[in-house]
């Protein structure tokens, strides 16, 4: 039997955290290729991006493989496409550099050691390897649907702890940093002197299986005024933290311990203070440790990569299972092999809270949604430039946008799942 009374902790990091800067740049590259493909008349189903970013003091390196429209290729003075040393079309770095600078500026970095205007940006992208591409493309030619871009396992999770059906600790850790980022960008009082780099952590007390109060709150935030000590920082941030928790419905215990900038000053932040890499915050991106993670990062990948698209599908399915009243908690695992279209396995765990059996839900899921990569992309309309906004504050528990962003957070599969269960009965 699952524990009913316990403490659980999750952390979040802000958009200015070095790793999140890299996630943002990598996802800006994904969006750039999708946008330019539409302008160029390229079929968005043919887009391929696998982009990694490294950031350190006044330096950004963007590397990886892509399949892009001709407008993003390098041309010589005669207008002919230039080939690289491998005989493949060479990538024009100009628009990729511009996308990275815009991202850094949007995050808010204008410090000596990392400034959007002066940072040196190296673009080392190359055309996709045909050996990798054939696993996806040949499957599409054979089956009418594309194969998975790689092997792997992906997990989705949902529970009734918060309005967005997310675990409470990660939900509130994100809310704290979002509130502070909004206040910083809006120039609200002393919050305008906070820097982009920050980390939060919230410990939640569960009583009879339900989140009741925060018992420990940790926040480390960059500040631009070197005269501030941690007492001053707490004075600035505490009202935003209290509002972020109370407006979400979580109490703060009377004996809650606050740890605000526990090491003291935090003036040098971002990639100038510590190097960043794409994909190093996968637990922050998902469920804060409350549920399994398959291991693959999301950012910088187009949606043929099941690390991304199948993780979105698994969350979508788990959320709709819970929204349909089939369980209070739901974990779903999907598994894939490179070049094969359909998942090798579908696993459901309702954690003893289900109104029906796991086996019946597994069958209903397969009937309710085509879980091939192409089926997922169609169902969730993923061939869009909507990924930069996923790079911070979690890929899940967000509001679906009119632009098609966070489509995996919709709860429009409830009736379909119920019908599938009735048909299987």
């Amino acid at each position: 039997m699952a524990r009913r009374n316990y403490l659980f902790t999750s952390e979040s990091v802000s958009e200015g955290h070095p790793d999140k800067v890299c996630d943002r740049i990598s996802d800006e590259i994904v969006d750039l290729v999708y946008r330019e493909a539409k302008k160029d008349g390229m079929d968005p189903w043919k887009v391929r991006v696998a982009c990694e970013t490294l950031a350190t003091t006044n330096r950004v390196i963007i590397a990886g493989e892509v399949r892009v429209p001709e407008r993003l290729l390098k041309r010589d003075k005669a207008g002919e496409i230039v080939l690289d040393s491998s005989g493949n079309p060479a990538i024009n770095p100009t628009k990729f550099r511009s996308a990275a600078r815009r991202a850094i500026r949007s995050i808010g970095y204008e410090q000596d050691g990392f400034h959007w205007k002066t940072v040196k940006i190296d673009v080392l992208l190359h055309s996709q390897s045909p050996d990798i591409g054939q696993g996806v493309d040949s499957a599409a030619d054979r089956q009418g649907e594309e194969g998975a871009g790689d092997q792997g396992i992906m997990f989705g999770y949902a529970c009734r702890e918060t309005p967005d059906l997310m675990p409470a600790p990660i939900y509130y850790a994100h809310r704290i940093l979002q509130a502070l980022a909004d206040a910083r960008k809006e120039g609200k009082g002393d919050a305008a002197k906070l820097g982009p780099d920050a980390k939060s952590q919230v410990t939640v007390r569960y009583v009879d299986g339900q989140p009741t109060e925060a018992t420990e709150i940790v926040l480390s935030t960059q500040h631009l005024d070197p005269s501030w000590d941690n007492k001053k920082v707490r004075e600035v941030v505490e009202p935003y933290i209290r509002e972020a928790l109370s407006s979400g419905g979580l109490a703060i215990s009377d004996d809650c311990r606050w740890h605000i900038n526990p090491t003291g000053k935090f003036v040098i932040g971002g990639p100038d203070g510590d190097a960043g890499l794409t994909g190093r915050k996968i637990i922050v991106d998902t469920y804060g440790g409350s549920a399994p993670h398959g291991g693959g990062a999301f950012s910088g990948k187009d949606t043929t990569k099941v690390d991304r698209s199948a993780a979105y599908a698994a969350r979508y399915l788990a959320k709709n299972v819970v929204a349909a009243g089939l369980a209070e908690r739901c974990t779903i695992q999907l598994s894939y092999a490179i070049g094969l279209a359909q998942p090798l396995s579908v696993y459901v765990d309702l954690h003893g809270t289900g109104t029906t059996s796991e086996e019946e839900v597994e069958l209903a899921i397969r009937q309710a949604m085509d879980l091939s990569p192409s089926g997922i992309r169609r169902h969730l309309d993923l061939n869009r430039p909507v990924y930069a906004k996923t790079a911070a504050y979690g890929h899940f528990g967000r509001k679906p946008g009119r632009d098609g962003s966070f489509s995996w957070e919709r709860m429009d599969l409830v009736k379909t799942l119920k019908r599938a269960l009735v048909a299987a009965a």
Side-chain angles (χ1 to χ4, degrees), residues 55-287:
T56 186
T57 302
N58 272 332
R59 189 73 176 269
V60 168
I61 298 172
I62 302 170
E65 60 166 33
V66 294
R67 184 192 294 168
V68 300
E70 290 191 2
R71 63 193 297 123
L72 292 177
L73 299 177
K74 185 180 291 187
R75 296 178 180 272
D76 59 22
K77 292 182 179 180
E80 297 296 320
I81 293 174
V82 175
L83 301 182
D84 61 22
S85 59
S86 300
N88 296 314
I91 306 300
N92 185 337
T94 303
K95 289 189 176 181
F96 296 96
R97 288 197 189 102
S98 296
R101 290 195 195 281
R102 286 194 301 272
I104 296 166
R105 184 180 187 182
S106 174
I107 291 167
Y109 276 114
E110 295 184 344
Q111 58 194 45
D112 290 342
F114 198 73
H115 196 297
W116 64 271
K117 281 186 180 179
T118 58
V119 61
K120 181 180 180 183
I121 302 174
D122 293 328
V123 177
L124 306 178
L125 297 169
H126 61 82
S127 296
Q128 185 187 47
S129 161
D131 291 342
I132 294 176
Q134 69 179 354
V136 176
D137 298 336
S138 63
D141 293 340
R142 294 193 309 271
Q143 305 167 18
E145 55 185 14
E146 62 196 18
D150 204 348
Q151 70 177 47
I153 56 174
M154 296 81 208
F155 287 92
Y157 180 74
C159 61
R160 290 201 174 276
E161 294 179 12
T162 62
D164 292 320
L165 305 186
M166 286 289 288
I170 188 67
Y171 177 82
Y172 290 106
H174 286 326
R175 284 178 69 93
I176 288 171
L177 294 182
Q178 285 181 299
L180 291 171
D182 290 345
R184 170 176 62 87
K185 291 181 175 182
E186 292 167 11
K188 291 184 176 179
D190 280 341
K193 297 179 182 179
L194 297 175
D197 195 356
K199 301 177 77 171
S200 66
Q201 190 166 283
V202 179
T203 300
V204 175
R205 186 189 305 281
Y206 285 76
V207 177
D208 196 25
Q210 296 300 313
T212 60
E213 59 185 6
T215 64
E216 307 269 351
I217 295 171
V218 183
L219 178 77
S220 295
T221 181
Q222 183 186 11
H223 51 92
L224 305 181
D225 188 334
S227 70
W228 285 12
D229 57 14
N230 50 10
K231 291 182 180 179
K232 173 62 178 177
V233 174
R234 177 167 177 174
E235 175 188 318
V236 173
V237 304
E238 184 172 343
Y240 296 101
I241 294 174
R242 288 188 177 277
E243 172 63 19
L245 299 191
S246 64
S247 63
L250 185 70
I252 299 175
S253 69
D254 293 338
D255 59 351
C256 178
R257 294 195 295 178
W258 294 66
H259 311 275
I260 307 299
N261 280 20
T263 61
K265 296 183 186 301
F266 184 2
V267 177
I268 299 174
D272 187 28
D274 190 12
L277 287 169
T278 301
R280 286 206 299 192
K281 289 291 177 285
I282 57 177
I283 301 303
V284 169
D285 288 340
T286 54
Y287 308 103

Side-chain angles (χ1 to χ4, degrees), residues 132-137 139-140 143 145-152 154 303-307 309-310 335-343 371-374:
I132 294 176
Q134 69 179 354
V136 176
D137 298 336
Q143 305 167 18
E145 55 185 14
E146 62 196 18
D150 204 348
Q151 70 177 47
M154 296 81 208
T303 51
T304 64
K305 280 71 173 177
V306 284
D307 277 343
S309 56
S335 70
Y336 291 84
I338 189 169
L340 300 183
Q342 291 298 322
L371 292 173
S372 68
S374 55

Side-chain angles (χ1 to χ4, degrees), residues 297-316:
F298 304 155
S299 291
K301 298 175 181 177
D302 74 80
T303 51
T304 64
K305 280 71 173 177
V306 284
D307 277 343
R308 180 165 224 159
S309 56
Y312 290 170
R315 161 64 179 172
Y316 173 67

Side-chain angles (χ1 to χ4, degrees), residues 153-159 165-167 285-287 290-295 298 306-322 329-336 345-351 365 371 396 408-409:
I153 56 174
M154 296 81 208
F155 287 92
Y157 180 74
C159 61
L165 305 186
M166 286 289 288
D285 288 340
T286 54
Y287 308 103
S290 293
H293 190 292
F298 304 155
V306 284
D307 277 343
R308 180 165 224 159
S309 56
Y312 290 170
R315 161 64 179 172
Y316 173 67
L317 291 167
K319 187 173 185 180
N320 276 271
V321 166
V322 172
R329 294 171 60 203
C330 178
T331 299
I332 293 176
Q333 185 205 58
L334 305 175
S335 70
Y336 291 84
S345 64
V346 175
Y347 167 82
V348 172
D349 184 355
L350 302 180
H351 305 278
I365 282 171
L371 292 173
F396 307 130
W408 50 93
E409 291 297 312

